[in-house]
């Protein structure tokens, strides 16, 4: 288990409730941390790194952030959103310094700095001062300093911020490679949902200081509007009439036939048989899912509505089922 | 360097890292690390070493070292001449009015090296934290297994070492020169006491200057502002301390100037004849002032860094 939270609350002095009793267990290997501005993502990261006091119970990699913050930080790599390089340092000096501060002796620190920079694709530029680098190179240096000490858990904060499409693609490839190569777990905080779709297998959605959702991305997309979407070459109205006659709840959405509910005991074969019997050519048949963006917005809106109606019995998140890559929803 | 074993396994229950697959992306050897990990206070030394390394790259610190060398050479000449004149008959009568050789060592610290120390503090100390503030480096530091205390001690230690290079090392060197200039072993042994006294005097002034410089550095992300406020504070207090003491008829007020406090402590440590001690501050007050500056500035620095630590890990 990567994170275990039980009633984690954080109130700032100004009366702002940054975290409102987060409860749940978070596992998985590539987790997206999503949420609108002010949702509590920064506060959660600070709490997990042991930088903020809080009420409730929390464990990161089995360590308590209150009493074992240094043990957590020794096992966690953090790639911040903002610039954090040290003036006058070359990339290799910077990464060596980072490794030494994380507890590696000097010689291994230097060896790993070179390896991490090679991994990040900064082979020939590593001796130049970091402040002379382009945005893309700085992002790579930030990734290298985060992985140089061989962390088991990586907090990546907006890793593709400011990158052009090519740089973004390179960065995502590097990030995706880390769990495969080292077995490290990623917690990616980002506003770019396409990045989450590319890198993550599950998501932790925060809203107003509570967990609005935790589970696989497929489950997130499938929340709310389910049903089947059918497209036929022609005769959509005929199909609607036929399915309705067989007890389905059917409607048209543009040129698509949307089957909201099938009769009890019926399966998707019913739709195919009906189309075949009427001589209609089915060109598309799929479970209707939201885009990740729409699913995210819906999740946040639903959660806000629950807050507004006082229906928040407890912000909880269950461990998601192990996702099956490539499986149909 | 103390070492502790590497943390076992990872959070996914993997006891050992998976085998490194070669040839995937930029595969030049990044893999698992299973070697030793150093103890927590080693990181203090790593930060101190980095401060010193950055300072050493600044040519002004090296110029300060040259100035210190020149100061030692000049005061060394005074001590040498003093030794030679002892044998000249016409100066025998005047000997009672000449300062002792130890006094020259004290003056080298209180009237020369302390000013070079201020300059070194501005060069190295005033950028020690402000550069980190400007660059957002607290995210870098405090996402690692590092306590604010270790950061503060590391920065202070680095600046102390840098100022010590231009204050303590030359001062102790001059004291050693003063000892070896004696021709008789017995006199030489009796004169050895000047070395620990010089070390104490130069050491205390170095601590005070370093703490003040790093504190100023932590108050602003602009190094130039930190340098200006640090030097102005020291020179203005130096300029007003004597008039203030005379107006209030209270000699203890002179210790508001660090330089005067250093001189007061020097008189206490060396107990030597000087030209005018009427307005010299008592050494006890001077020592208290210098230690208070060091302790107070260090605590204020720690408080400031803890605040910054909690407010800078933005996402």
């Amino acid at each position: 288990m990567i994170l275990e939270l039980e009633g984690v609350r954080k109130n700032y002095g100004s009366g702002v409730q940054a975290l409102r009793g987060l409860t749940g267990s978070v596992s998985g290997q590539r987790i997206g941390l999503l949420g609108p501005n002010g949702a509590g993502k920064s506060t959660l990261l600070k709490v997990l790194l042991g930088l903020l006091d809080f009420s409730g119970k929390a464990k990161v990699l089995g360590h308590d952030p209150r009493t074992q913050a240094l043990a957590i930080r020794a096992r966690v790599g953090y790639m911040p959103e903002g610039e954090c390089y040290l003036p006058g340092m070359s990339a290799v000096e910077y990464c060596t310094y980072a490794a030494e501060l994380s507890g590696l002796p000097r010689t291994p620190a230097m060896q790993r700095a070179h390896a991490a920079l090679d991994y990040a694709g900064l082979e020939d530029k590593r001796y130049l001062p970091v402040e002379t680098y382009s945005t893309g190179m700085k992002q790579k240096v930030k990734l290298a300093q985060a992985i140089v000490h061989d962390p088991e858990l990586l907090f990546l904060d907006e890793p593709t911020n400011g990158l052009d499409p090519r740089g973004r693609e390179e960065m995502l490839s590097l990030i995706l490679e880390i769990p495969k190569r080292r077995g490290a777990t990623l917690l990616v905080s980002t506003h770019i949902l396409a990045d989450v779709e590319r890198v993550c297998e599950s998501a932790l959605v925060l809203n107003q200081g509570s967990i609005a959702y935790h589970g696989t991305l497929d489950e997130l997309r499938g929340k709310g509007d389910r049903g089947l979407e059918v497209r036929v070459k022609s005769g959509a109205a005929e199909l609607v009439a036929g399915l309705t006659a067989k007890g389905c709840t059917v409607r048209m959405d543009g040129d698509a036939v949307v089957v909201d509910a099938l009769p009890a005991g019926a399966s998707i074969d019913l739709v195919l048989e009906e189309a075949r019997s009427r001589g209609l050519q089915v060109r598309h048949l799929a479970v209707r899912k939201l885009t990740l963006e729409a699913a995210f917005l819906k999740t946040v809106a639903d959660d806000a509505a629950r807050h507004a109606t006082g229906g928040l019995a407890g912000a909880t998140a269950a461990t998601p089922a192990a996702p099956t890559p490539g499986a149909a929803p | 360097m103390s070492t502790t074993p590497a943390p076992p396994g990872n959070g996914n229950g993997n006891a050992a890292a998976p085998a490194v697959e070669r040839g995937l992306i930029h595969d030049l050897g990044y893999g698992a690390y299973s070697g030793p990990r150093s103890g927590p206070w080693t990181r203090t030394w790593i930060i101190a070493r980095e401060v010193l390394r950055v300072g050493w790259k600044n040519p002004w610190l090296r110029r300060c070292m040259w100035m210190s060398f020149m100061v030692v050479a000049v005061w060394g000449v005074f001590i040498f001449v003093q030794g030679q004149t002892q044998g000249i008959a016409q100066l025998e009568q005047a000997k009672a009015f000449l300062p002792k050789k130890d006094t020259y060592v004290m003056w080298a610290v209180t009237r020369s090296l302390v000013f070079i120390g201020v300059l070194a503090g501005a060069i190295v100390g005033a950028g020690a934290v402000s550069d980190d503030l400007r660059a957002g480096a607290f995210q870098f530091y405090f996402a690692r297994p590092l306590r604010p205390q270790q950061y503060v001690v590391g920065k202070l230690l680095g600046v102390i070492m840098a100022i010590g290079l231009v204050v303590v090392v030359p001062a102790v060197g001059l004291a050693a020169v003063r000892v070896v200039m004696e021709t008789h072993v017995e006199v030489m042994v009796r004169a050895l006491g000047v070395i620990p006294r010089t070390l104490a005097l130069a050491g205390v002034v170095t601590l005070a200057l370093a703490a003040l410089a790093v504190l100023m550095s932590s108050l602003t992300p602009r190094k130039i502002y930190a340098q200006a406020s640090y030097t102005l504070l020291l020179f203005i207090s130096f300029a007003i301390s004597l008039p203030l003491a005379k107006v209030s008829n209270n000699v203890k007020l002179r210790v508001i100037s660090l330089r005067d406090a250093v001189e007061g402590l020097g008189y206490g440590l060396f107990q030597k004849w000087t030209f005018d001690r009427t307005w010299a501050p008592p050494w006890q007050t001077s020592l208290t002032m210098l230690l208070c500056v060091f302790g107070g500035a260090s605590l204020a620095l720690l408080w400031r860094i803890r605040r910054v630590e909690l407010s800078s890990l933005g996402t």
Side-chain angles (χ1 to χ4, degrees), chain B:
Chain B
M1 184 191 301
S2 61
T3 57
T4 53
N10 61 26
N12 304 316
N14 297 342
V20 174
E21 293 179 57
R22 298 239 162 231
L24 289 171
I25 298 183
H26 301 280
D27 190 356
L28 290 171
Y30 177 74
Y33 175 74
S34 55
R37 306 248 175 186
S38 54
W41 283 100
T42 308
R43 285 150 219 175
T44 301
W45 166 246
I46 292 164
I47 293 174
R49 192 188 64 199
E50 181 57 28
V51 171
L52 195 59
R53 190 187 71 84
V54 171
W56 187 254
K57 284 165 77 175
N58 190 323
W60 277 101
L61 184 65
R62 297 198 292 274
R63 283 172 196 148
C64 284
M65 289 188 69
W66 272 109
M67 283 191 270
S68 295
F69 176 78
M70 298 303 292
V71 164
V72 167
V74 169
W75 286 103
V77 168
F78 278 119
I79 294 170
F80 177 75
V81 171
Q82 173 81 328
Q84 296 303 304
T85 55
Q86 283 176 358
I88 301 171
Q90 55 266 43
L91 285 175
E92 282 297 311
Q93 290 180 330
K95 265 176 64 179
F97 300 99
L98 286 174
K100 300 285 193 304
K101 292 176 190 170
D102 289 0
T103 309
Y104 288 120
V105 179
M106 184 194 84
W107 282 346
V109 176
T110 61
R111 300 187 176 186
S112 305
L113 293 176
V114 67
F115 293 106
I116 302 174
V118 171
L119 194 56
I123 292 163
V124 181
V129 180
S130 60
D131 284 345
D132 289 346
L133 281 171
R134 193 181 71 252
F138 283 88
Q139 298 178 97
F140 170 82
Y141 281 108
F142 293 120
R144 299 182 187 284
L146 187 73
R147 295 183 192 283
Q149 298 93 310
Q150 292 169 326
Y151 175 87
V152 167
V153 174
K155 289 285 178 182
L156 272 176
L157 192 59
V159 177
I160 286 167
M161 287 193 294
I163 298 178
L165 278 176
V166 301
V167 176
V168 178
V169 173
V172 173
L174 181 64
V177 166
R178 177 258 174 276
V179 172
V180 298
M181 275 184 182
E182 295 293 347
T183 49
H184 300 288
V185 175
E186 191 184 330
V187 181
M188 203 182 282
V189 171
R190 264 192 285 142
L192 275 176
V194 71
I195 293 178
R197 284 199 295 271
T198 307
L199 185 62
L201 180 64
V204 171
V205 67
T206 298
L207 292 180
L209 289 176
L212 200 58
V214 182
L215 175 63
M216 290 298 177
S217 175
S218 72
L219 299 178
T220 170
R222 298 287 299 271
K223 182 178 176 179
I224 189 77
Y225 293 160
Q227 288 174 324
S229 54
Y230 168 71
T231 46
L232 278 175
L233 180 70
L234 289 174
F235 282 104
I236 289 174
S237 62
F238 176 49
I240 65 171
S241 68
L242 184 58
L244 195 66
K246 286 184 174 174
V247 167
S248 61
N249 201 27
N250 184 354
V251 73
K252 289 182 180 176
L253 282 180
R254 280 201 74 184
V255 298
I256 64 164
S257 159
L258 278 191
R259 186 262 160 198
D260 291 344
V262 171
E263 186 145 296
L265 179 61
Y267 290 148
L269 280 170
F270 285 78
Q271 294 292 331
K272 296 296 177 185
W273 178 91
T274 63
F275 292 108
D276 178 16
R277 289 185 62 174
T278 313
W279 289 100
W283 73 267
Q284 297 92 334
T285 314
S286 302
L287 179 61
T288 306
M289 177 66 178
L290 289 165
L291 292 180
C292 282
V293 167
F294 173 67
S298 300
L299 288 176
L301 179 64
L302 183 60
W303 174 81
R304 170 77 180 140
I305 296 301
R306 286 187 73 89
R307 280 183 62 87
V308 173
E309 176 205 10
L310 296 182
S311 63
S312 65
L313 200 67
T315 57

Side-chain angles (χ1 to χ4, degrees), chain A residues 246-269:
Chain A
K246 290 200 169 174
C248 300
T249 308
V250 189
R251 62 188 165 89
M252 290 293 293
D253 185 4
D255 60 347
V257 176
V258 177
V259 183
D260 288 321
L262 293 167
S267 73
I268 199 168
D269 292 341

Side-chain angles (χ1 to χ4, degrees), chain A residues 144-225:
Chain A
Q145 63 83 30
I147 63 173
V148 70
H149 59 292
D150 191 20
E152 295 155 44
L153 174 60
L154 262 177
F155 291 161
L156 305 175
D157 198 358
E158 304 287 356
T160 57
N161 210 7
L163 297 183
D164 59 22
R166 188 180 161 193
R168 180 170 160 263
E169 183 54 36
E170 281 184 10
M171 178 58 71
L172 293 177
S173 299
L174 289 169
I175 291 169
L176 262 174
E177 187 71 19
I178 294 168
K180 291 180 194 165
R181 188 178 287 217
R182 286 292 306 111
T185 298
L186 304 179
L187 187 62
V188 185
S189 170
T190 180
H191 293 99
I192 304 173
L193 295 173
D195 288 358
V196 175
E197 283 195 293
R198 172 79 198 282
V199 171
C200 301
E201 58 192 14
S202 61
L204 181 66
V205 181
L206 292 186
N207 184 47
Q208 297 180 27
S210 63
I211 296 176
Y213 173 79
H214 177 226
T216 64
L217 291 188
D218 284 334
E219 287 171 350
L220 178 62
R221 284 193 209 95
K223 280 183 76 176
D225 195 358

